[in-house]
Amino acid sequence: LELHTMSASIFGESRQQGASSLISMKAGKLSLNGSTVNADSRKGLLLVRKSEDGLMHFIWKDRTANTVEDDLIIFPGDASLKHLPQCQDGFAMLLEFTTGRRLFFWSQEARKKGLAWDDITKEKELLRKANDVLNGNAPSAPAAAPAALGFGGMTHSELMAMLSGGSVPPPTQTAAPTAAPTAAPTAAPTAAPTAAPTTAPTAAEPAA
């Protein structure tokens, strides 16, 4: 299998400087040799990133040299990332295109303390997210926060009017709600006096 390397300069790396990665995974490369794959020992990083022109980029980056080696433009539904369970000594992945082209990678994600090396929960979740993005189901950008008021609580137009020498209209005042009148309290009826008890009350017996 001939693996073609696409130069980042072809796709205009500068256009991606402001783009944020939708998926990021530490992964190395694998080369196919007959029916087996051999690991590239370099430390790598897989990125799925949407550039400013709206195109989806699948990127492999050398973490040590900090250089982009592969930068592939992928349209929704053109490729999928799969786990290769046949590989028993690591988590191997296949990026397979509908055209038949194939690229192989292996996970370099660190394991948390106490987790076994055959625990692939993290990799499975990253694969699921990557395929969602590659199929055009990228998470929407968070809604922009409302613009804060300018200097002294003024809006932009009010601030510009003040700087240009114009008058700034005073803020609109709203009258405080008037409480409904309440009826004056009526005097409580005077209870008729009762006669004082003629005998002293008997003390209660202490409880057993």
Side-chain angles (χ1 to χ4, degrees):
L1 177 65
E2 183 181 359
L3 304 181
H4 298 280
T5 300
M6 295 190 176
S7 171
S9 60
I10 296 177
F11 298 106
E13 185 179 4
S14 60
R15 289 183 301 177
Q16 300 184 44
Q17 295 299 324
S20 59
S21 299
L22 302 174
I23 300 295
S24 176
M25 180 181 185
K26 293 177 181 178
K29 282 186 167 186
L30 290 171
S31 58
L32 185 64
N33 184 13
S35 60
T36 61
V37 288
N38 299 320
D40 186 330
S41 61
R42 291 178 297 170
K43 296 179 180 180
L45 185 67
L46 281 179
L47 301 169
V48 180
R49 180 177 294 170
K50 192 171 186 179
S51 58
E52 294 178 357
D53 54 13
L55 297 176
M56 198 68 69
H57 292 252
F58 187 94
I59 298 167
W60 187 84
K61 179 178 181 180
D62 186 324
R63 284 188 281 148
T64 303
N66 196 29
T67 56
V68 173
E69 188 167 300
D70 295 296
D71 187 347
L72 312 175
I73 292 179
I74 297 181
F75 294 95
D78 276 358
S80 60
L81 194 60
K82 305 174 182 178
H83 174 218
L84 297 177
Q86 298 89 342
C87 183
Q88 299 296 321
D89 55 354
F91 189 89
M93 297 168 286
L94 165 65
L95 178 66
E96 187 171 28
F97 291 82
T98 54
T99 58
R101 183 181 181 183
R102 297 183 295 172
L103 298 175
F104 298 88
F105 305 93
W106 61 284
S107 172
Q108 295 176 339
E109 286 289 332
R111 289 291 184 274
K112 291 183 179 180
K113 186 176 181 180
L115 289 180
W117 282 101
D118 58 354
D119 188 332
I120 58 174
T121 305
K122 184 176 183 179
E123 282 82 359
K124 286 284 191 180
E125 180 64 15
L126 287 170
L127 280 187
R128 183 190 66 78
K129 291 180 179 179
N131 284 306
D132 283 346
V133 173
L134 294 176
N135 287 322
N137 300 323
S140 57
L149 293 178
F151 179 77
M154 291 186 292
T155 63
H156 180 267
S157 58
E158 292 172 345
L159 181 60
M160 294 304 295
M162 182 186 72
L163 294 176
S164 60
S167 59
V168 179
T172 304
Q173 296 182 351
T174 56
T178 305
T182 56
T186 57
T190 304
T194 56
T198 56
T199 60
T202 304
E205 296 180 359

